[in-house]
Amino acid sequence: GQQVMQIPQYQHVQEGEDFTTYCNSSTTLSNIQWYKQRPGGHPVFLIQLVKSGEVKKQKRLTFQFGEAKKNSSLHITATQTTDVGTYFCAGPSPGAGSYQLTFGKGTKLSVIP
Amino acid sequence: EAGVTQSPTHLIKTRGQQATLRCSPISGHTSVYWYQQALGLGLQFLLWYDEGEERNRGNFPPRFSGRQFPNYSSELNVNALELEDSALYLCASSYQPEAFFGQGTRLTVV
């Protein structure tokens, strides 16, 4: 079945440093979604990418969708302590409902003040 | 507008017992998705309900079942609980392009 892999599993950065997490799917995706889960919280939707090669920015966050629509990345510039949490990528399962998602295992970001 | 609500927040059960978890989607959302988030395993798709019907289920044993009511709220039932069922159970409803997750039910099996 479809697999979504994410690396790294953990990342510790000094406040102000940049951070990147990478996501790879075993199958071509119709879209990819990113979620953030704060410690003790629930996943919160960040963004959806649909087009091949798409790049979207949200303030200090930059999201990319690969040309082959099988990989994606999230880059955070100048991390802040508010960025702490686990970042998940997710893609729709082939042939299923749009929100039957296959999630990567997430990248847990720690920011050292 | 209220978000996705789940109850109870925490649930402690003994191995072999049954657990019932509840979810109310955002008003107007007809689909409910259940996910299990076990430690170190990320979110795994469990069940999808839409318009009162089970549309799909993930790779989980039949001990995991549920239903959706006419008001679109949903129940997840886990029978014959095992220790490895301990996890955060998340319910989500969707409105393009995002899925909205509830706060989850933390199930602990002892």
Side-chain angles (χ1 to χ4, degrees):
Chain A
Q2 180 187 61
Q3 291 186 350
V4 175
M5 290 142 289
Q6 227 178 312
I7 56 168
Q9 191 174 356
Y10 301 96
Q11 185 81 59
H12 305 276
V13 300
Q14 203 75 34
E15 188 173 16
E17 290 182 339
D18 292 357
F19 159 77
T20 305
T21 173
Y22 300 91
C23 180
N24 282 285
S25 171
S26 59
T27 61
T28 302
L29 299 169
S30 59
N31 68 76
I32 193 157
Q33 300 170 31
W34 285 90
Y35 292 81
K36 177 183 178 181
Q37 186 173 22
R38 288 200 163 98
H42 60 280
V44 174
F45 175 86
L46 292 176
I47 207 161
Q48 181 187 68
L49 303 172
V50 178
K51 298 177 184 176
S52 169
E54 189 169 14
V55 178
K56 283 190 176 179
K57 292 190 176 185
Q58 289 179 350
K59 296 183 181 178
R60 295 178 295 104
L61 279 60
T62 302
F63 303 85
Q64 291 189 326
F65 200 11
E67 295 290 339
K69 300 183 75 173
K70 295 181 72 173
N71 62 294
S72 182
S73 66
L74 158 60
H75 179 82
I76 302 178
T77 304
T79 54
Q80 300 174 359
T81 54
T82 52
D83 296 325
V84 164
T86 301
Y87 293 84
F88 294 96
C89 61
S93 299
S98 297
Y99 294 93
Q100 180 179 323
L101 299 169
T102 302
F103 281 80
K105 290 190 178 181
T107 297
K108 187 173 182 178
L109 173 64
S110 300
V111 179
I112 305 160
Chain B
E1 178 184 298
V4 176
T5 57
Q6 291 187 246
S7 64
T9 307
H10 294 87
L11 191 57
I12 300 175
K13 292 285 186 178
T14 304
R15 192 170 49 183
Q17 285 188 314
Q18 180 198 41
T20 299
L21 289 63
R22 296 178 177 83
C23 170
S24 292
I26 291 171
S27 177
H29 293 189
T30 62
S31 277
V32 169
Y33 298 80
W34 287 94
Y35 289 86
Q36 182 195 65
Q37 187 174 27
L39 201 61
L41 290 180
L43 283 85
Q44 311 243 327
F45 167 72
L46 257 170
L47 288 159
W48 168 30
Y49 291 95
D50 182 56
E51 298 284 357
E53 301 279 334
E54 180 181 302
R55 299 298 183 182
N56 211 354
R57 64 182 293 123
N59 189 23
F60 282 84
R63 303 187 292 108
F64 290 82
S65 65
R67 52 181 172 166
Q68 187 178 32
F69 299 100
N71 66 354
Y72 304 116
S73 67
S74 177
E75 240 177 39
L76 173 68
N77 295 294
V78 189
N79 294 319
L81 284 164
E82 300 178 2
L83 296 177
E84 50 265 35
D85 296 333
S86 295
L88 180 67
Y89 290 84
L90 292 158
C91 167
S93 68
S94 60
Y95 188 80
Q96 197 53 253
E98 62 184 279
F100 297 85
F101 283 86
Q103 295 281 4
T105 294
R106 173 73 61 185
L107 173 64
T108 303
V109 183
V110 298

